[in-house]
Amino acid sequence: MPKYTLTTAEKKWQNKPVNLVWEAVYNRQPDVGSIGKMPGVNVVSPTWFHITDGQGTVKSKGNQAYVNWAHRSGMEVWGLMDNSFDPDVTKEAVASYETRTHIIEQMLEYAQTYQLDGINIDFENVYTDDGPNITQFVREIKAMARIHGLMLSIDVTPKSNSEMWSAFLDRRALGSFADYVIVMAYDEHWAASPKAGSVASLPWTEASMRRILEEDEVPSNKLIMAVPLYTRIWAEETNDQGEVKVSSKAVGMNAIVELIQEKKLKPELDQASGQNYVEYKEDGATKKIWIEDAVSLQARVDLIASLKLGGVAAWNRSFANASAWEVLKQAGYQK
């Protein structure tokens, strides 16, 4: 077999950890003038590209000013492409070599137009039986990305029994094709969870990473831990029948800092989750918050180092405050 020779792009990342932050782009482009310094961050991944139909049409929200800003700031841009989280569109779009090639060709064209350094794939809400076609797509796009000097990463969920969110992902195979597998280690307790709890407790986060390292044998230097920069404020209300109704809303790091100051709360370390925790009463409800802050992020950074992972990713920039970058810049090790 011919020896695999690394491309210039692959060589560049051989000895340094990835420190990526996603830029969630919805209706308007971020104002780069208002983005503060993000020490340590070396990749931004804007959510610009979406597969929108079964023919594999990729719609773009690409923005040259953002790429220019990132490059001037010493960061690479790995444009994120998703499947619009639509299982029926995905089924058709990855079903044939022709439609998969159509997606790849458009992405390569967008990469050239916007001078992207890489592509980040985020496929979610997919039928289990489409898993093999997703794997094949990643194999095909990696071959082409390589020729064009682009890095390729894919986002995966922690392993679970969920048909649409986990079962379709062949993490072992994806780990052999992509340059990086980014584990979205959050939403242990999701927005509509029937029970209040941490977005990503430390024991759950560690177990999520270890399962992929051990069961799927993805090399540790290819595995990136994605951390949440958001916190859910949970509200528990008991009705007349004695049933507890649970609801939540997600907020960024600064919102929690302001809330703690305003209500004069005193966070305490919750040993079980490895996070600071506060609880208070408001409008007849009990509010519970497992806080994402420098303490929880430091614990994750330490875990990344002990597992010798390839780096860190954070969802998403708009939720962060300055303390996040200061802690996360320690993530990773010299591979």
Side-chain angles (χ1 to χ4, degrees):
M1 247 177 95
K3 191 173 181 302
Y4 185 95
T5 51
L6 295 171
T7 64
T8 310
E10 290 164 343
K11 271 185 196 155
K12 181 181 170 183
W13 287 102
Q14 254 206 312
N15 297 310
K16 71 173 179 178
V18 172
N19 186 336
L20 174 149
V21 64
W22 282 290
E23 183 75 61
V25 182
Y26 299 109
N27 302 319
R28 38 192 270 238
Q29 296 293 338
D31 167 20
V32 295
S34 70
I35 300 175
K37 293 247 183 295
M38 300 188 290
V41 174
N42 51 26
V43 182
V44 283
S45 181
T47 61
W48 277 344
F49 307 104
H50 317 279
I51 300 169
T52 56
D53 60 31
Q55 285 71 57
T57 305
V58 180
K59 290 276 165 62
S60 164
K61 293 189 198 126
N63 177 264
Q64 194 61 55
Y66 185 88
V67 175
N68 294 347
W69 161 79
H71 285 163
R72 275 198 313 273
S73 308
M75 297 180 287
E76 290 199 356
V77 181
W78 297 359
L80 181 144
M81 175 187 64
D82 66 37
N83 61 329
S84 296
F85 303 160
D86 184 318
D88 297 310
V89 161
T90 309
K91 177 175 279 299
E92 216 179 319
V94 297
S96 71
Y97 177 73
E98 287 69 32
T99 49
R100 292 194 303 267
T101 301
H102 183 47
I103 296 167
I104 293 166
E105 285 171 346
Q106 290 167 91
M107 280 310 296
L108 292 173
E109 203 165 305
Y110 287 136
Q112 193 174 7
T113 301
Y114 295 108
Q115 300 162 292
L116 303 179
D117 306 285
I119 297 167
N120 174 236
I121 298 171
D122 185 18
F123 284 180
E124 301 181 41
N125 200 23
V126 175
Y127 297 121
T128 305
D129 60 3
D130 293 321
N133 285 338
I134 300 285
T135 302
Q136 183 58 25
F137 171 75
V138 171
R139 170 190 247 154
E140 290 163 0
I141 194 170
K142 171 55 187 167
M144 296 308 294
R146 210 172 169 263
I147 290 166
H148 290 80
L150 297 164
M151 296 299 286
L152 184 78
S153 57
I154 181 160
D155 307 334
V156 305
T157 54
K159 295 177 83 163
S160 76
N161 299 325
S162 168
E163 284 289 325
M164 305 299 286
W165 303 93
S166 179
F168 73 94
L169 291 159
D170 182 346
R171 295 165 183 79
R172 178 184 293 261
L174 295 170
S176 68
F177 300 132
D179 294 304
Y180 292 105
V181 174
I182 303 181
V183 184
M184 298 179 286
Y186 35 77
D187 283 349
E188 175 185 5
H189 294 86
W190 58 101
S193 169
K195 188 176 151 215
S198 171
V199 168
S201 68
L202 209 63
W204 177 86
T205 301
E206 179 167 0
S208 299
M209 302 309 295
R210 284 191 184 278
R211 277 192 73 182
I212 296 173
L213 284 167
E214 291 160 14
E215 294 173 18
D216 303 302
E217 297 179 320
V218 175
S220 61
N221 64 349
K222 274 192 164 196
L223 208 60
I224 291 172
M225 182 197 292
V227 304
L229 300 179
Y230 60 94
T231 296
R232 294 196 199 284
I233 301 175
W234 296 91
E236 291 182 349
E237 294 179 76
T238 308
N239 65 16
D240 297 340
Q241 285 75 47
E243 299 161 335
V244 178
K245 183 172 164 283
V246 179
S247 60
S248 76
K249 69 170 182 178
V251 299
M253 295 176 78
N254 280 330
I256 295 294
V257 171
E258 286 161 18
L259 181 75
I260 288 168
Q261 286 171 343
E262 179 199 323
K263 298 202 174 295
K264 300 185 171 54
L265 302 170
K266 196 170 183 308
E268 291 188 1
L269 188 66
D270 169 46
Q271 295 295 343
S273 65
Q275 289 172 281
N276 280 321
Y277 174 80
V278 290
E279 191 176 300
Y280 62 98
K281 294 268 195 290
E282 187 178 71
D283 303 332
T286 301
K287 300 289 184 85
K288 298 182 173 182
I289 311 171
W290 285 262
I291 304 169
E292 286 302 335
D293 57 11
V295 171
S296 66
L297 291 176
Q298 184 65 55
R300 295 172 210 282
V301 163
D302 294 344
L303 186 56
I304 287 166
S306 71
L307 295 175
K308 296 186 164 44
L309 302 182
V312 70
W315 180 267
N316 73 55
R317 182 193 61 77
S318 66
F319 290 133
N321 64 17
S323 73
W325 313 125
E326 288 304 323
V327 177
L328 293 178
K329 73 179 182 186
Q330 311 162 48
Y333 72 110
Q334 295 306 305
K335 291 185 273 179

